[in-house]
């Protein structure tokens, strides 16, 4: 076998130009897969963490009825005694912080014009402790009651600026109309234009006053690591959720992040499409190389068989050649990919905002060791597979014909 | 001497498009251990075909081929790989060395296919390279050797498995006359000193003269079969003039 491997290895370098071209194609294919995969992985990571930091948290605890049925009236299935629940949750080792939140809708008016809003009643201090980020464009963050942060689109529609006083109108949990005056503390952007045109944040107390309730919609939980999400949800449920296991439900960020899931599905489809194109490209290139290699060595094959080399041994020589070429091309591909990832990540490039986004995103590629290993194995497998048919043809040659080949 | 190869009424035909060409017509011959035999005749007379059938790299359409008492006529060629490796060494007109391997590795190749211990393998290869005068060229690749040196490597390769017979197809045809004579002298010396059986095809009368036995072919038939000290061969196509005894 060592001699066959030696023959295969040396033959790879017999026609250096052709080998270089094949290795170039393989490297290009490997780099395209690794870079696109790394780019997608970076975006998945970024989108996931952004989704979590923008208010989703790792876990959300709400009542089972709210999760199952929603609400006909504001806070109909709201969460009572949420402070006790937060205390229990925060006693768990992997929970970093919790924050109660109210989701509500209503109208906001500047006296001349009213706009519908999607509101959040938040606890600014706790959310800050959870590391939630807010892209504040003007003004100051929320500090007290009777203040509001407006999405930039909503503020533009109302021609509102920090310091202005606006009126929030909503329905109480009993079904009555209610109104609260708030001072605009600041304007913020979520990155999603449509949401910026409706987004509004007030303090938890302001929201509870508007809705006339002492409940909240949910308690958001921040963990010490995203990877512990599923494990911690199971542990919380197993631990009985502070004696309220039958009443409450825990959902993960992944359950709630429909946009994230759609993006992942889209990117996965793109990656598969790209992978298939590159697969075909590499197969065609390497098959051609192997076919030429067999064609050029017909007489050599005849000589080997005349001296007693068996068909399966001839097959092995050419398949090994495919393996050598695959390993060589794969390693070059990994090296090229690593270099390109470093270059791209240090170039400070940005991408134009994607659809529905209002801010540019940094162009970065994640170095995923598993992707490197997977692409390397794939390349070697493809090259080995590409060698089988030409090798089989070579091994089936008649000795006399092969020796007489010109 | 023992009979090692027997051909009985061997016929071989080839098809080239719609044309059927008869390469051998009812050839019957026996070859014994230690012979130094030239298969002589003009181009197209069937010399290479005869060597191919003897070496079990081709099959006859009719007739029988017996190697060391084993009738191999009906055995598929791919099942005769071990037999070829054990019984035959081949020397080709164009040397047919493996370009990726050094002289040493080329010589070693046939015995790598068997189960010879490494020490014995090494001893055989080095001994043969010394015997053919290429000990100092053991690491050279074929493209670094002259034509004569390449054919010496090919002869060493043919001998390394200690075959029953070395089959050489026009071994000097691609060499100048002086180098060709040297290669033939080497084959002759190996035959004389080590008793190696050589069957070689040629149309060169200088070479034919050195053979102890000449099997003369014309149009696929054996026209003469002489065992003599020296024989001269006419390489024209005239059947009557094909062989001319020099003694």
């Amino acid at each position: 076998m060592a001699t066959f491997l030696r023959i295969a290895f040396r033959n790879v370098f017999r026609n250096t130009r052709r080998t270089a071209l094949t290795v170039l194609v393989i490297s290009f294919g490997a780099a395209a897969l690794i870079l696109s995969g790394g780019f997608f992985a970076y975006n998945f990571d970024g989108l996931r963490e952004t989704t979590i930091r923008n208010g989703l948290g790792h876990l959300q605890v709400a009542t089972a009825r709210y999760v199952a049925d929603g609400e006909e009236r504001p806070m109909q299935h709201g969460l009572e005694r949420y402070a006790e629940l937060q205390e229990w949750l925060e006693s768990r080792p992997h929970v970093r912080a919790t924050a109660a939140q109210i989701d509500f809708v209503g109208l906001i008016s500047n006296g001349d014009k009213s706009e519908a809003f999607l509101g959040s009643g938040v606890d600014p201090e706790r959310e800050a402790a959870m590391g939630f980020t807010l892209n504040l464009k003007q003004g100051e963050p929320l500090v007290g009651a009777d203040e509001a942060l407006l999405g930039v689109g909503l503020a533009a529609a109302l021609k509102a600026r920090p310091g202005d006083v606006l009126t929030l109108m909503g329905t109480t949990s009993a079904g009555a109309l209610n109104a609260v005056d708030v001072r605009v503390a600041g304007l913020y952007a979520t990155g999603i234009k449509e949401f910026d045109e409706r987004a509004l944040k007030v303090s938890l107390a302001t929201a509870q006053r508007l809705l006339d309730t002492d409940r909240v919609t949910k308690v958001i939980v921040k963990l010490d690591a995203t990877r512990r999400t599923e494990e911690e949800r199971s542990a919380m449920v197993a631990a009985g959720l502070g004696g309220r296991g039958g009443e409450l439900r825990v959902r993960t960020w992944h359950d709630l992040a429909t946009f994230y899931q759609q993006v992942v599905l889209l990117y996965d489809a793109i990656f598969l499409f790209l992978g298939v194109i590159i697969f075909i490209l590499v197969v065609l290139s390497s098959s051609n190389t192997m076919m030429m290699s067999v064609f050029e060595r017909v007489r050599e094959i005849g000589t080997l068989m005349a001296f007693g080399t068996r068909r399966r041994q001839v097959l092995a020589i050419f398949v090994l050649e495919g393996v050598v070429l695959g390993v060589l091309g794969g390693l070059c591909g990994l090296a090229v990919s690593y270099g390109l990832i470093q270059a791209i990540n240090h170039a400070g490039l940005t991408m134009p905002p994607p659809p529905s986004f209002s801010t540019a995103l940094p162009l970065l590629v994640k170095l995923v060791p598993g992707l490197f290993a997977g692409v390397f194995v794939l390349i070697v497998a493809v090259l080995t597979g590409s060698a089988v048919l030409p090798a089989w043809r070579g091994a089936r040659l008649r000795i006399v014909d092969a020796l007489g080949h010109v | 001497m023992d009979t090692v190869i027997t051909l009985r009424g061997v016929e071989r035909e080839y098809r080239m498009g719609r044309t059927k060409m008869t390469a051998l017509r009812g050839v019957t011959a026996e070859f014994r251990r230690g012979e130094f035999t030239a298969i002589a005749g003009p181009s197209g007379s069937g010399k290479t075909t005869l060597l191919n059938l003897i070496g079990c790299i081709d099959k006859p359409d009719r007739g029988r081929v017996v190697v060391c008492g084993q009738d191999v006529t009906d055995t598929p060629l791919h099942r005769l790989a071990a037999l070829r490796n054990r019984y035959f060494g081949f020397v080709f007109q164009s040397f047919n060395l493996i370009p990726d391997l050094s002289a040493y590795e080329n010589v070693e190749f046939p015995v790598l296919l068997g189960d010879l211990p490494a020490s014995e393998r090494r001893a055989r290869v080095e001994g043969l390279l010394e015997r053919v005068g290429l000990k100092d060229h053991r690491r050279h690749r074929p493209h670094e050797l002259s034509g004569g040196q390449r054919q010496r490597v090919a002869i060493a390769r043919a001998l390394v498995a200690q075959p029953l017979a070395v089959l050489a197809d026009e071994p000097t045809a691609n060499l100048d006359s002086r180098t060709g004579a040297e290669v033939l002298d080497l084959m002759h010396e190996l035959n004389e000193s080590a008793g190696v059986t050589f069957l070689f095809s040629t149309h060169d009368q200088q070479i034919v003269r050195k053979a102890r036995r000449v099997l003369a072919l014309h149009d696929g038939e054996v026209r003469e079969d002489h065992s003599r000290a020296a024989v001269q061969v006419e390489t024209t196509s005239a059947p009557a003039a094909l062989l001319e005894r020099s003694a």
Side-chain angles (χ1 to χ4, degrees):
Chain A
M1 186 56 82
T3 299
F4 295 150
L5 188 61
R6 199 180 307 147
I7 291 174
F9 191 81
R10 289 180 184 173
N11 191 61
V12 165
F13 295 100
R14 196 190 291 187
N15 190 329
T16 47
R17 188 181 297 177
R18 190 173 62 215
T19 298
L21 191 63
T22 308
V23 166
L24 193 71
V25 172
I26 296 167
S27 300
F28 169 78
L33 281 175
I34 289 172
L35 259 64
S36 56
F39 172 71
F40 293 161
Y42 170 79
N43 279 303
F44 292 164
D45 284 3
L47 185 60
R48 182 188 68 209
E49 294 306 315
T50 303
T51 303
I52 291 166
R53 278 201 313 272
N54 277 354
L56 214 53
H58 289 110
L59 297 167
Q60 292 191 1
V61 185
T63 63
R65 293 194 66 183
Y66 174 80
V67 172
D69 304 330
E71 291 175 328
E72 290 177 9
R73 298 192 315 274
M75 307 313 291
Q76 180 187 5
H77 301 309
L79 188 59
E80 296 173 324
R81 297 185 287 123
Y82 59 89
E84 286 174 28
L85 178 65
Q86 282 181 275
E87 193 178 337
W88 182 84
L89 290 168
E90 286 172 0
S91 70
R92 298 191 58 77
H94 295 302
V95 174
R96 184 175 286 176
T98 66
Q101 188 171 308
I102 294 173
D103 297 332
F104 65 107
V105 296
L107 292 173
I108 183 168
S109 172
N110 60 6
D112 296 327
K113 185 180 180 186
S114 297
E115 289 285 338
F117 66 81
L118 296 168
S120 295
V122 299
D123 184 334
E125 282 183 22
R126 281 179 172 270
E127 289 205 347
M130 292 175 79
F132 284 3
T133 52
L134 190 69
N135 185 9
L136 204 62
K137 294 295 185 185
Q138 284 185 49
E140 302 293 331
L142 282 180
V143 288
D146 301 333
E147 285 187 342
L149 293 176
L150 269 57
V152 287
L154 183 61
L158 293 169
K159 295 185 174 58
R161 291 182 301 177
D164 290 353
V165 175
L166 303 173
T167 302
L168 302 183
M169 291 172 282
T171 309
T172 68
S173 55
L177 286 174
N178 196 10
V180 170
D181 285 343
V182 291
R183 188 184 67 83
V184 178
L187 311 182
Y188 71 104
T190 62
I192 300 172
K193 186 171 172 288
E194 287 77 6
F195 191 56
D196 287 344
E197 290 170 356
R198 293 283 174 259
L200 174 143
K201 281 181 190 286
V202 295
S203 69
L204 204 58
T206 305
Q208 285 178 325
R209 194 149 59 85
L210 179 68
L211 303 175
D212 189 24
T213 183
D214 56 359
R215 298 175 177 180
V216 295
T217 307
K218 61 204 173 192
V219 171
I220 301 168
V221 181
K222 179 83 187 295
L223 303 175
D224 52 7
T226 303
R227 68 175 187 280
R228 289 211 168 89
T229 303
E230 277 297 342
E231 157 199 336
E232 187 55 25
R233 171 167 70 171
S234 302
M236 282 178 182
V237 172
L241 289 165
R244 298 167 70 181
E247 174 199 348
L248 305 177
R249 288 286 177 274
V250 185
R251 290 180 292 176
T252 66
W253 66 269
H254 194 264
D255 298 335
L256 299 159
T258 48
F259 179 71
Y260 172 85
Q261 291 176 32
Q262 286 167 354
V263 170
V264 169
L265 280 175
L266 176 69
Y267 276 29
D268 280 350
I270 293 171
F271 188 68
L272 180 67
F273 181 69
L274 189 70
V276 168
I277 291 174
I278 291 168
F279 177 81
I280 292 168
L281 191 71
V282 171
V283 165
L284 288 178
S285 170
S286 53
S287 293
N288 178 59
T289 299
M290 295 309 302
M291 201 66 86
M292 289 299 291
S293 178
V294 170
F295 184 74
E296 287 171 358
R297 292 160 65 194
V298 167
R299 188 181 286 201
E300 191 179 315
I301 292 168
T303 307
L304 293 175
M305 291 203 287
F307 275 100
T309 307
R310 289 172 167 80
R311 282 179 173 176
R312 63 170 184 273
Q313 291 171 318
V314 173
L315 189 81
I317 289 173
F318 287 98
V319 170
L320 280 172
E321 198 174 316
V323 173
V324 169
L325 203 55
V327 169
L328 195 69
L331 288 175
C332 286
L334 299 192
V336 168
S337 303
Y338 182 81
L340 284 173
I341 287 174
Q342 295 300 325
I344 291 168
N345 289 351
H346 287 92
L349 303 172
T350 57
M351 295 181 295
S356 300
F357 277 70
S358 54
T359 50
L361 298 174
L363 177 58
L364 293 169
V365 181
K366 187 180 178 184
L367 203 153
V368 187
L371 191 61
F372 272 67
V375 167
F376 181 75
V377 170
L378 179 72
I379 292 290
V380 174
V382 166
L383 265 291
T384 306
S386 303
V388 169
L389 182 62
W392 185 79
R393 285 187 177 177
R396 301 289 297 179
L397 284 170
R398 291 180 68 239
I399 303 172
V400 171
D401 293 342
L403 287 171
H405 183 81
V406 180
Chain B
M1 286 192 285
D2 309 327
T3 299
V4 289
I5 299 152
T6 305
L7 306 176
R8 286 192 215 113
V10 166
E11 294 187 12
R12 185 72 175 103
E13 294 167 350
Y14 294 108
R15 283 201 169 275
M16 297 185 76
R18 291 180 181 178
T19 311
K20 190 168 77 174
M21 294 176 63
T22 303
L24 290 177
R25 302 166 195 267
V27 172
T28 295
E30 284 188 350
F31 300 94
R32 299 173 195 280
R33 194 181 298 274
E35 279 189 4
F36 194 69
T37 302
I39 298 169
S43 292
S45 60
K47 303 185 295 293
T48 300
T49 303
L50 186 62
L51 282 177
N52 289 344
L53 294 175
I54 292 170
C56 299
I57 58 177
D58 197 7
K59 309 292 288 183
D61 295 308
R62 282 170 290 278
R64 312 304 294 179
V65 178
V66 179
V67 177
C68 273
Q70 181 184 348
D71 190 331
V72 297
T73 315
D74 299 323
T75 311
L77 287 176
H78 67 269
R79 291 193 186 162
L80 293 174
L83 182 141
R84 282 196 297 274
N85 181 252
R86 183 177 160 198
Y87 289 155
F88 298 112
F90 296 88
V91 177
F92 302 98
Q93 180 178 339
S94 302
F95 325 126
N96 288 23
L97 299 178
I98 310 299
D100 298 324
L101 301 181
S102 66
Y104 183 97
E105 290 163 339
N106 263 290
V107 175
E108 187 187 31
F109 186 82
V111 280
L112 283 171
L113 300 169
D115 51 5
L116 204 63
S119 56
E120 170 71 10
R121 216 165 55 215
R122 193 164 45 249
R124 276 199 205 178
V125 175
E126 286 178 352
L128 279 166
L129 281 172
E130 189 169 7
R131 192 86 186 261
V132 300
L134 290 173
K135 192 178 180 185
D136 296 335
H137 294 72
R138 61 201 301 278
R139 294 184 190 283
H140 288 53
R141 299 274 188 90
H143 70 271
E144 297 168 319
L145 299 171
S146 68
Q149 288 171 327
R150 288 183 208 182
Q151 200 59 302
R152 284 167 181 269
V153 172
I155 291 169
R157 177 179 64 177
L159 290 169
V160 73
Q162 297 181 344
L164 193 68
V166 172
L167 310 177
D169 188 12
E170 303 270 10
T172 60
N174 274 6
L175 303 174
D176 60 64
S177 57
R178 184 178 163 186
T179 311
E182 286 172 5
V183 165
L184 198 76
D185 287 345
L186 172 66
M187 288 164 56
H188 197 256
E189 189 252 320
L190 287 164
N191 171 258
E192 292 274 323
S193 61
V196 179
T197 309
F198 276 93
L199 303 179
F200 56 95
S201 65
T202 184
H203 59 270
D204 185 335
Q205 69 175 32
Q206 298 292 330
I207 293 169
V208 170
R209 277 201 195 100
K210 297 190 179 181
R212 282 205 301 275
R213 177 185 173 192
V214 177
L215 191 77
L217 291 179
H218 189 82
D219 286 345
E221 293 178 343
V222 177
R223 290 296 172 88
E224 299 282 351
D225 186 353
H226 298 286
S227 296
R228 289 187 175 272
V231 181
Q232 192 171 18
V233 173
E234 180 72 47
T235 56
T236 64
S237 60
L242 182 66
L243 287 176
E244 181 185 325
R245 292 176 207 178
S246 61

